[in-house]
């Protein structure tokens, strides 16, 4: 079976590997480089956890984490690290949401626990906990370098027989016989998977398929050295996350909840974001080390915040719409969509057919607790 994969990010490279190792004749087309710095995977924070209150999301996350650990080795390494999320005093609705969601997560078999401020302080002395109303910790969590992961998956795909064509921007056609439109001409295939992140909507629109997808801008920075005992942390009240990185910390937020043109957005971080993130660091860990690098990137939103994964036209598939969770799900989603392309059932609830495609919707932040 000849399968074209469009996009060399975390999802496309994983799917290409999973298709190729099952015997498909895979050609992956990437308009730039694998894990391009102009796309999302090359700009992501690499935080991974299983702390989802929805059973399907929890199962996918668990599978993804297990696979990250199995695949971790020379090409990239997955570092186990607990994931803490919390609400601060006065933020009653988010505190209540955390208290309601953790028991549900435990029902799904997740290793998560509620902590009060004292327990949090005892467990993670690097955190400032005085005004914490409620916290939770997920032990099945960790981080990785997303670009290194995608490059490793591309290497494995190549070893399994896939052809990886970088520097090759393509379009797709629909109809009884799908094809990819390459600079060298049209190439007939048996199936196409569009895993082109923020560009998936435009690629499919040119082929007459409409999906409800909005790219939105987020920001991150990395600092110089600080206390290495910092866990991964999401402050739901502030809407800011952080994780250890190379002796310092990586901090993320600066979400602009509106639709962006995937070819026209400011790639550097805003001064306001950097100042706010440093202020947040002081509040979260008591220090604000010097900022070494700050940047922006795109995430993709859908009307119901669930991804779009599945067939959108005969033998044409899409995998996008991660709401900021595409890296952490890539090992599970890449495998699931590869199996779907080869004839298995898709992921219930992620089928793009649940939408007409032209829905009006507001961009909502992916990592929110509510
Ligand atoms: C600052 C930031 C922090 C983030 N942190 C996290 C995190 O901690 N955890 C997490 O899970 N997620 C995180 N995300 C989200 C994550 O980056 C994305 O969900 C994920 O990378 C999506 O992967 P993808 O393979 O679907 O898309 P992408 O990585 O965007 O890859 C799509 C690829 O398609 C290529 N392409 C586009 N058009 C064409 C074409 N016509 N022809 C050929 N190729 C084409 C692009 O060049 C690109 O390489 C973060 C994102 C940002 C910006």
């Amino acid at each position: 079976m000849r399968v074209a994969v469009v996009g060399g990010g975390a999802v496309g490279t994983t799917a290409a590997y999973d298709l190729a190792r099952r015997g498909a004749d895979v050609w992956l087309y990437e308009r730039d480089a694998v894990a391009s710095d102009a796309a999302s995977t090359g700009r992501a924070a690499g935080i991974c956890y299983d702390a989802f209150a929805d059973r399907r999301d929890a199962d996918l996350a668990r599978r993804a984490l297990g696979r990250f650990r199995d695949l971790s080795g020379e090409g990239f390494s997955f570092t186990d690290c607990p994931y803490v999320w919390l609400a601060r005093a006065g933020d009653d609705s988010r505190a209540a949401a955390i208290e309601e969601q953790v028991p549900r997560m435990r029902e799904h078999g997740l290793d998560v626990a509620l902590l009060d401020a004292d327990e949090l302080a005892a467990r993670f002395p690097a955190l400032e906990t005085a005004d914490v109303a409620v916290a939770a910790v997920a032990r099945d969590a960790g981080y990785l370098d997303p670009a290194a992961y995608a490059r490793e998956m591309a290497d494995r795909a190549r070893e399994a027989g896939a052809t990886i064509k970088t520097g090759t921007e393509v379009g797709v056609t629909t109809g009884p016989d799908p094809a990819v439109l390459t600079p060298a001409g049209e190439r007939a295939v048996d199936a196409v998977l569009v895993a082109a992140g923020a560009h998936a909507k435009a690629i499919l629109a040119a082929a007459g398929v409409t999906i409800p997808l909005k790219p939105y801008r987020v920001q991150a920075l990395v600092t110089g050295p600080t206390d290495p005992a910092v866990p991964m942390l999401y402050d739901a009240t502030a809407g800011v996350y952080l994780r250890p990185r190379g002796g310092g910390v990586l901090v993320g937020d600066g979400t602009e909840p509106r639709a962006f043109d995937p070819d026209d957005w400011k790639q550097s971080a805003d001064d306001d974001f950097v100042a706010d993130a440093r202020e947040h660091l002081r509040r979260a860990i008591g220090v604000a080390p010097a900022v070494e690098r700050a940047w922006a990137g795109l995430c993709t939103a859908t009307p119901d915040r669930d991804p779009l994964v599945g067939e959108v036209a005969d033998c044409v598939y899409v995998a996008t719409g991660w709401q900021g969770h595409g890296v952490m799900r890539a090992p599970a989603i890449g495998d699931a969509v590869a199996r779907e392309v080869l004839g298995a059932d898709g992921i219930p609830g992620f089928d793009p057919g649940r939408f007409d495609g032209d829905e009006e919707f507001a961009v909502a932040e992916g990592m929110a607790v509510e």
Side-chain angles (χ1 to χ4, degrees), residues 7 10-11 30-31 39-41 43-47 170 322 324-328:
V11 176
E30 164 53 52
R31 72 176 193 166
S40 298
T41 299
R43 291 175 172 256
I47 291 175
V170 299
W322 313 116
H325 294 80
V327 170
M328 69 176 81

Side-chain angles (χ1 to χ4, degrees), residues 103-287:
R104 279 204 281 146
M105 292 175 188
R106 292 175 64 85
E107 278 171 24
H108 307 329
L110 304 186
D111 187 1
V112 296
L114 281 168
L115 305 175
D116 63 25
D118 292 340
E119 291 165 330
L120 185 66
R123 183 87 198 274
F124 301 105
L127 298 183
E128 297 285 315
T129 58
D131 67 345
V132 169
V134 63
V137 59
R139 277 171 279 256
D140 194 8
Y143 56 84
L144 68 138
D145 174 347
Y149 167 78
R151 286 192 290 266
E152 172 69 12
M153 290 302 98
D155 286 347
R156 285 177 183 247
R158 250 185 233 105
E159 282 163 21
T163 301
I164 311 284
K165 300 282 284 181
T166 54
T168 308
E169 182 164 0
V170 299
V172 303
T173 64
T174 55
D177 302 309
V180 269
L181 306 169
T182 79
E186 190 170 316
R187 186 167 168 269
V189 290
D190 299 305
V192 183
L193 170 62
V194 177
H199 287 91
K201 183 183 174 91
I203 292 169
L204 288 169
V209 175
T210 313
I211 56 168
L213 185 80
K214 292 185 180 176
Y216 62 97
R217 185 170 172 266
V218 298
Q219 301 175 66
L221 61 78
V222 290
T223 76
T226 183
D227 191 327
V230 173
M232 300 196 293
L233 175 71
Y234 174 58
D235 181 332
T237 301
V240 181
Y241 63 83
L242 61 84
R243 75 153 170 97
R245 186 192 171 277
V249 287
L250 185 157
V251 186
D253 176 31
T255 302
E256 279 187 77
R258 65 177 176 85
F260 280 79
D261 177 341
D263 289 312
D264 183 15
W265 48 282
K266 184 183 160 201
Q267 300 197 357
S268 59
D270 304 337
D271 292 344
D272 283 1
F273 161 71
V274 174
D276 290 351
R278 298 197 76 218
E279 189 50 42
H280 176 74
L281 274 177
R282 276 188 207 95
R283 193 170 183 202
I285 60 172
V287 289

